[in-house]
Amino acid sequence: MQVERTKLEGVLVITPARFGDARGFFSESWNRARMADAGLDYDWVQDNHSLSRETGTVRGLHFQSPPHAQAKLVRCGRGALFDVAVDVRRGSTTYGQWVGLELSAENGKQLLIPQGFLHGFVTRMPDTEILYKCSDYYAPECDGAVRFDSLDIDWGLDATAPLLSDKDAAAQPFDAFNSPFLWEGAP
């Protein structure tokens, strides 16, 4: 397993080892002992799986506020997507900054997104499946969204309008967002 840090504290790229032969491959997408050895201690309580039929489908930028804030471990089971995390921890020196990573069934990379970050993605292929673990259960009263195009994120979209849910189309812009998250290092 390879663990790479990003420019945003806590956001990590995790690439599990793959063992392959003529039949395909085997990989451990999560192993508590190996993660603990890497300094990561998460108690995943929920696995989510979504399918986006069309290329250019945007989901996000989503968050779940305290007391049910979620860390996520995101991977692509089929197809390809561009996955994004945005730091929204008030007091953080990287507040409002983002990182993005191409996740695909082929590259096997995963993005670990801790609490205090917005999360979203755009699909690069039709019938893309996203699988992710969450550190807390879904709580509709804590569910929120920020408009995907209200930050300077290069989503790699062509001239075609992205496919959005009604919720994402009506989401608040980033400049109106009052983040419920506080950077742990803040005074």
Side-chain angles (χ1 to χ4, degrees), residues 70-100:
Q70 294 177 324
K72 296 178 180 177
L73 179 63
V74 184
R75 65 187 173 97
C76 180
R78 178 172 55 165
L81 61 112
F82 182 66
D83 205 46
V84 173
V86 180
D87 186 350
V88 292
R89 300 167 299 168
R90 289 180 289 120
S92 167
T93 58
T94 55
Y95 183 85
Q97 294 182 30
W98 63 276
V99 294

Side-chain angles (χ1 to χ4, degrees), residues 8-82:
L8 301 181
E9 182 185 339
V11 177
L12 303 173
V13 179
I14 298 175
T15 309
R18 285 187 172 180
F19 304 95
D21 59 25
R23 300 168 297 163
F25 72 85
F26 171 83
S27 179
E28 289 181 346
S29 60
W30 177 258
N31 179 303
R32 184 182 297 271
R34 284 195 174 91
M35 292 297 139
D37 288 346
L40 304 172
D41 184 24
Y42 286 91
D43 183 20
W44 304 116
V45 299
Q46 181 174 315
D47 276 351
N48 297 330
H49 184 165
S50 76
L51 168 70
S52 295
R53 294 240 180 255
E54 302 294 327
T55 300
T57 298
V58 174
R59 295 185 189 244
L61 298 161
H62 299 151
F63 66 95
Q64 192 162 290
S65 63
H68 297 289
Q70 294 177 324
K72 296 178 180 177
L73 179 63
V74 184
R75 65 187 173 97
C76 180
R78 178 172 55 165
L81 61 112
F82 182 66

